[in-house]
Amino acid sequence: MSGAFDFSGKVLVLTGAAGSIGAAIARAYLALGGSCVLTDLSQTALDGLAKDLNTPDRVLTVQHDVTSPEAANAVVEAAIQRFGRIDHLVTGAGLYRDATVATMSDAEWRQSIAINLDGVFYCCRAAAAHLEPGGAIVNIASLAGQRGSKDHGHYAAAKGGVLSLSRTLAWELAPDVRVNAISPGLIEGPMVQPLLAARGPALMAQTPLGRLGTAEEVAKATLFLLSDWASFITGESLQVNGGLYMT
Ligand SMILES: NC(=O)c1ccc[n+]([C@@H]2O[C@H](COP(=O)([O-])OP(=O)(O)OC[C@H]3O[C@@H](n4cnc5c(N)ncnc54)[C@H](O)[C@@H]3O)[C@@H](O)[C@H]2O)c1
């Protein structure tokens, strides 16, 4: 049983790395010995994160807009060039905006689908042929993708797509690569502040554990699914939501 969470010699490509959950995943993966290719929209934010992580020999940062298929290919090439391998992919980039379906513009719909769903497809496609046998993908989906989300139809549709895409990839990349999703509930960070301002007390009352989750708790679940401890788990969606939604 020893060493299951040792990522020494392994390489993770992580999108949305400068976000709350992304940074926690990067920190945990590095702490367990792995190397990280960290991507996000802002190179400045990535530089700040890399400085904070303070492991320059095991970190490569790449400015990356996930809505670009070419950029996804470039990230994979950069990872191979720097580290010579890719073992793990975590797609953490995401955008969560308020809009009812009735009032949503075409541009709002398109932007959400482009970031939250197209971006996951581009990254998984780019990485698929390069992932080492025994590797794994974890796509960060959402509670919204499981049950829908009032005032976030574009986001919920995209995250539902991520869940279906993950199950499909679990078939297509088996048996060499496992593919799972994480569906966070309400997690501390900037993304949920508008929702908490509008409906925070009611949502906490519906949550058996009675609090927000932390980015570190999402990171732990993600690293479990990447690790050999999850070696017989593929096509699964792990709910990290304090019981707010149970299936
Ligand atoms: N925070 C929550 O409660 C919660 C709940 C469910 C799901 N999630 C999902 O978890 C993931 C991380 O969320 P978070 O809470 O850390 O949010 P966050 O806003 O802190 O991080 C999201 C990151 O995605 C990046 N990003 C946005 N558009 C991008 C683009 N076009 N290209 C590249 N990067 C882009 C942002 O720059 C940011 O760093 C997201 O996929 C989100 O949908 C979060």
Side-chain angles (χ1 to χ4, degrees):
M1 291 287 276
S2 65
F5 281 83
D6 181 2
F7 292 111
S8 300
K10 307 287 188 193
V11 176
L12 165 68
V13 173
L14 171 65
T15 73
S20 311
I21 291 172
I25 292 170
R27 192 165 284 111
Y29 197 86
L30 289 164
L32 293 169
S35 299
C36 290
V37 179
L38 306 177
T39 89
D40 209 302
L41 273 181
S42 160
Q43 186 61 50
T44 307
L46 288 170
D47 290 344
L49 174 63
K51 189 173 173 209
D52 190 39
L53 293 170
N54 197 24
T55 46
D57 52 326
R58 288 191 285 129
V59 167
L60 172 69
T61 61
V62 183
Q63 193 277 333
H64 173 207
D65 182 343
V66 296
T67 65
S68 159
E70 294 80 15
N73 295 337
V75 166
V76 167
E77 280 169 29
I80 299 288
Q81 193 171 5
R82 169 69 186 269
F83 294 116
R85 61 187 290 143
I86 302 172
D87 298 277
H88 298 129
L89 169 68
V90 174
T91 57
L95 181 77
Y96 181 71
R97 291 276 188 274
D98 287 5
T100 64
V101 171
T103 60
M104 191 181 295
S105 69
D106 292 353
E108 287 172 320
W109 169 265
R110 201 49 254 154
Q111 181 191 36
S112 182
I113 299 296
I115 294 172
N116 294 310
L117 180 57
D118 295 353
V120 176
F121 161 61
Y122 296 144
C123 291
C124 290
R125 182 178 61 179
H130 298 277
L131 284 160
E132 294 286 329
I137 296 174
V138 173
N139 293 317
I140 308 295
S142 173
L143 170 65
Q146 306 277 347
R147 68 167 192 185
S149 180
K150 182 175 170 292
D151 300 339
H152 315 98
H154 42 12
Y155 180 83
K159 294 295 192 179
V162 169
L163 294 170
S164 298
L165 178 64
S166 302
R167 294 186 194 109
T168 301
L169 282 165
W171 279 108
E172 293 183 0
L173 301 187
D176 287 343
V177 173
R178 296 177 298 103
V179 185
N180 292 291
I182 293 271
S183 288
L186 296 174
I187 308 300
E188 286 172 5
M191 189 171 271
V192 293
Q193 294 313 313
L195 182 62
L196 290 176
R199 288 192 273 148
L203 288 165
M204 285 307 97
Q206 294 163 29
T207 303
L209 295 187
R211 62 174 176 85
L212 298 176
T214 66
E216 288 69 27
E217 287 172 318
V218 179
K220 285 178 188 169
T222 303
L223 265 59
F224 161 67
L225 287 176
L226 294 179
S227 80
D228 289 344
W229 282 40
S231 56
F232 202 51
I233 301 177
T234 195
E236 186 55 87
S237 169
L238 186 54
Q239 315 260 1
V240 184
N241 65 21
L244 175 58
Y245 178 66
M246 304 183 200
T247 52

